[in-house]
Amino acid sequence: MESQKTIKHIFQEYISKSTPIFKNREVLTSEFIPETIQHRNKEINTIASILAPSLKGGRPSNIFIYGLTGTGKTLVSKHITDELEKISKQGNYPIKVLYVNCKMKKISDTEYRLMAELCRLLGYELPATGLPTDYIYQTFFNALDSEKRIVIIILDEIDALVEKIGDEFLYNLTRINQELKNSKISIIGITNDLHFIEILDPRVKSSLREEEVLFFPYNATQLHDILKHRSYYAFYDNVLSDEVIPKCAALAAQEHGDARRALDLLRVAGEIAERMNDDKVTEKHVDLAQEKIDYDRVIESTKSLPKQTKVVLWSILELSNEKNDDIQTGEVYDIYQRKCKEIGLFPLTQRRISDLISELDMTGIINAKVTSLGRYGRTRVIMLNLNESVKEKVKAILNESLVI
Ligand SMILES: Nc1ncnc2c1ncn2[C@@H]1O[C@H](COP(=O)(O)OP(=O)(O)O)[C@@H](O)[C@H]1O
Ligand SMILES: [Mg+2]
């Protein structure tokens, strides 16, 4: 009974609150598609010009789009190809766009799944497993060629796909045009990984990169404009204090100009203000939002670490009880081996552990710097990058999953 009263109380308080914060919170979520895209005219013009020949039945060049996260690559690509598809409906040259987010597990675990997804997008449902790959390619080929048209395949976060299934499928896809009679395909590959292209087979590299477009990070002013525009739809009038948008923009600009981060900061700041029952969103809420987002990110990445890497992190945490910023790979390895024994895990070599430490460095949970030991060679000095409360939480997660 008591708890029911409280729930009722919370809801009533929410409804009767005199100054609600959000007019429409959805506008600040990553699913929301804004109707105007700011500060990307150059990129939009370039990509649109490359794709335009498809409106007269010509095969556009393949495009490789790259740039750091949150620079608008997905938004811009979807926006242009949506328009293209719409305009093609008014003319005589059909265009079909197939968008695949390669980060989605069910789609890009295997070549089979990817091809099945492409078939599905063309209207051919196939069973989730079991058919020979040749058969799937044949189905895809027939589906493509069943109509006279240009098919544009967007492989977003293509690096995730290549990491799992190699780049052979890309070779196959780029060659398929030579055999198609009615249709032609063109590929748009998108990645956040600036070094991705270097790992591709040279033949694949040159065909995927017929054209390439780099998305630069946004600067603080540009992020400011993006936030300003969204906030108009997201918040009630006069709810945001003047310093809020500049602060979110500045923080996200420091973080490599990531528009997603900027929008997240603004949204979470609003949520926190709402939960604290404050009438205005202020700088204080942005600081809290920043803390919360960082916290969530560390927790999420800790949970998703592979088991071996978890043991490595666990060992670093153990060492950090004694010293904070001078942990060496050799020491980590000793504790790592002991822990593996304890939980019945086969220990990897010290060299592999060194690689795993580099991977942890990339998550931002630790800092690992290579330093010289003079004539004794080089070593890596590891520093834990977590404050006490986060550290405790990370430890708890690791302890929970590192058992026999
Ligand atoms: N120029 C822009 N104008 C408005 N919103 C943008 C702009 N660029 C990015 N966004 C928004 O920022 C978020 C991240 O953009 P996204 O296209 O997903 O980045 P990327 O694919 O490069 O990681 C999305 O919510 C998107 O709507
Ligand atoms: Mg993207």
Side-chain angles (χ1 to χ4, degrees):
M1 275 301 108
E2 184 53 38
S3 80
Q4 272 186 16
K5 233 193 255 160
T6 330
I7 295 171
K8 223 176 179 177
H9 181 76
I10 293 172
F11 289 159
Q12 268 165 357
E13 196 177 67
Y14 185 88
I15 292 170
S16 65
K17 204 163 169 275
S18 55
T19 47
I21 301 279
F22 288 112
K23 192 157 44 175
N24 184 359
R25 187 185 150 279
E26 304 305 311
V27 173
L28 298 175
T29 59
S30 53
E31 294 80 45
F32 182 82
I33 299 178
E35 63 200 48
T36 51
I37 301 179
Q38 290 154 300
H39 299 296
R40 281 297 177 234
N41 285 343
K42 193 173 106 251
E43 292 77 2
I44 291 175
N45 288 342
T46 307
I47 297 171
S49 315
I50 298 169
L51 296 178
S54 57
L55 290 167
K56 290 187 178 168
R59 186 193 83 86
S61 303
N62 296 329
I63 313 177
F64 177 61
I65 297 176
Y66 65 114
L68 296 172
T69 48
T71 51
K73 302 180 297 298
T74 300
L75 175 65
V76 164
S77 311
K78 277 188 165 170
H79 175 75
I80 298 174
T81 50
D82 279 356
E83 288 295 311
L84 191 70
E85 235 175 357
K86 262 190 240 155
I87 294 179
S88 81
K89 291 210 171 89
Q90 298 158 11
N92 298 321
Y93 297 96
I95 298 173
K96 174 94 182 152
V97 178
L98 314 180
Y99 173 87
V100 180
N101 178 350
C102 306
K103 268 265 166 75
M104 303 279 280
K105 273 222 170 72
K106 269 189 230 135
I107 292 170
S108 62
D109 268 2
T110 60
E111 186 171 7
Y112 185 109
R113 285 190 160 162
L114 170 72
M115 296 313 294
E117 173 67 8
L118 292 175
C119 290
R120 192 185 70 77
L121 292 170
L122 286 169
Y124 291 74
E125 293 281 349
L126 294 173
T129 51
L131 299 170
T133 313
D134 281 358
Y135 179 86
I136 307 253
Y137 267 100
Q138 195 58 49
T139 308
F140 177 60
F141 185 90
N142 294 342
L144 278 176
D145 226 17
S146 64
E147 283 174 45
K148 194 168 178 56
R149 61 184 167 188
I150 299 290
V151 177
I152 297 173
I153 303 176
I154 304 179
L155 299 172
D156 200 353
E157 315 239 9
I158 189 173
D159 48 305
L161 189 60
V162 170
E163 195 173 294
K164 288 208 194 87
I165 68 175
D167 59 6
E168 175 100 10
F169 80 96
L170 267 175
Y171 183 73
N172 297 338
L173 278 185
T174 52
R175 295 302 126 126
I176 226 168
N177 279 318
Q178 294 165 0
E179 286 153 51
L180 291 167
K181 299 219 164 45
N182 296 314
S183 64
K184 289 272 172 267
I185 65 168
S186 207
I187 298 169
I188 300 180
I190 308 177
T191 181
N192 299 326
D193 178 349
L194 302 184
H195 300 290
F196 165 74
I197 197 86
E198 294 159 18
I199 64 158
L200 294 179
D201 177 285
R203 293 172 309 175
V204 177
K205 193 192 288 183
S206 60
S207 40
L208 180 60
R209 209 165 39 166
E210 286 173 346
E211 297 279 355
E212 75 178 358
V213 182
L214 169 61
F215 278 55
F216 283 99
Y218 294 112
N219 62 33
T221 319
Q222 294 169 329
L223 290 171
H224 185 285
D225 291 344
I226 293 172
L227 292 181
K228 187 89 194 160
H229 189 257
R230 291 277 181 106
S231 67
Y232 175 77
Y233 301 96
F235 293 100
Y236 283 106
D237 293 348
N238 303 322
V239 158
L240 290 186
S241 323
D242 290 344
E243 72 277 7
V244 168
I245 287 181
K247 177 142 188 169
C248 293
L251 288 172
Q254 280 167 21
E255 180 122 347
H256 81 244
D258 180 342
R260 185 175 300 113
R261 174 81 175 191
L263 289 163
D264 283 348
L265 277 167
L266 189 58
R267 190 191 73 250
V268 176
E271 287 167 356
I272 291 173
E274 195 167 66
R275 224 164 295 147
M276 292 169 83
N277 261 327
D278 292 337
D279 320 330
K280 259 181 167 300
V281 187
T282 63
E283 217 167 335
K284 172 186 82 182
H285 301 113
V286 179
D287 285 331
L288 292 170
Q290 163 107 325
E291 257 173 54
K292 179 174 188 309
I293 291 170
D294 284 343
Y295 179 85
D296 291 350
R297 190 157 60 174
V298 168
I299 300 307
E300 271 320 299
S301 49
T302 303
K303 282 183 186 159
S304 64
L305 293 173
K307 193 153 188 180
Q308 289 283 357
T309 318
K310 279 186 178 146
V311 183
V312 175
L313 181 58
W314 186 90
S315 311
I316 294 172
L317 279 167
E318 277 296 291
L319 282 164
S320 75
N321 291 334
E322 297 153 32
K323 46 183 177 177
N324 213 352
D325 54 359
D326 187 23
I327 301 167
Q328 307 208 352
T329 313
E331 299 173 290
V332 176
Y333 192 60
D334 289 342
I335 298 193
Y336 161 83
Q337 280 179 307
R338 246 183 285 147
K339 184 69 176 173
C340 281
K341 209 170 194 180
E342 184 192 316
I343 61 170
L345 197 65
F346 191 79
L348 303 172
T349 60
Q350 182 159 346
R351 205 199 165 98
R352 277 291 293 139
I353 295 314
S354 210
D355 292 342
L356 297 186
I357 289 174
S358 302
E359 282 167 28
L360 276 172
D361 182 41
M362 287 199 290
T363 65
I365 298 177
I366 63 166
N367 276 330
K369 270 205 231 91
V370 178
T371 58
S372 165
L373 290 178
R375 63 196 179 93
Y376 300 108
R378 293 188 310 162
T379 184
R380 228 162 8 166
V381 178
I382 301 159
M383 200 175 95
L384 198 62
N385 229 351
L386 307 173
N387 69 34
E388 280 307 311
S389 67
V390 185
K391 191 168 141 180
E392 286 312 309
K393 178 75 188 168
V394 168
K395 212 184 248 173
I397 293 170
L398 294 176
N399 280 331
E400 206 170 291
S401 68
L402 297 180
V403 285
I404 302 178

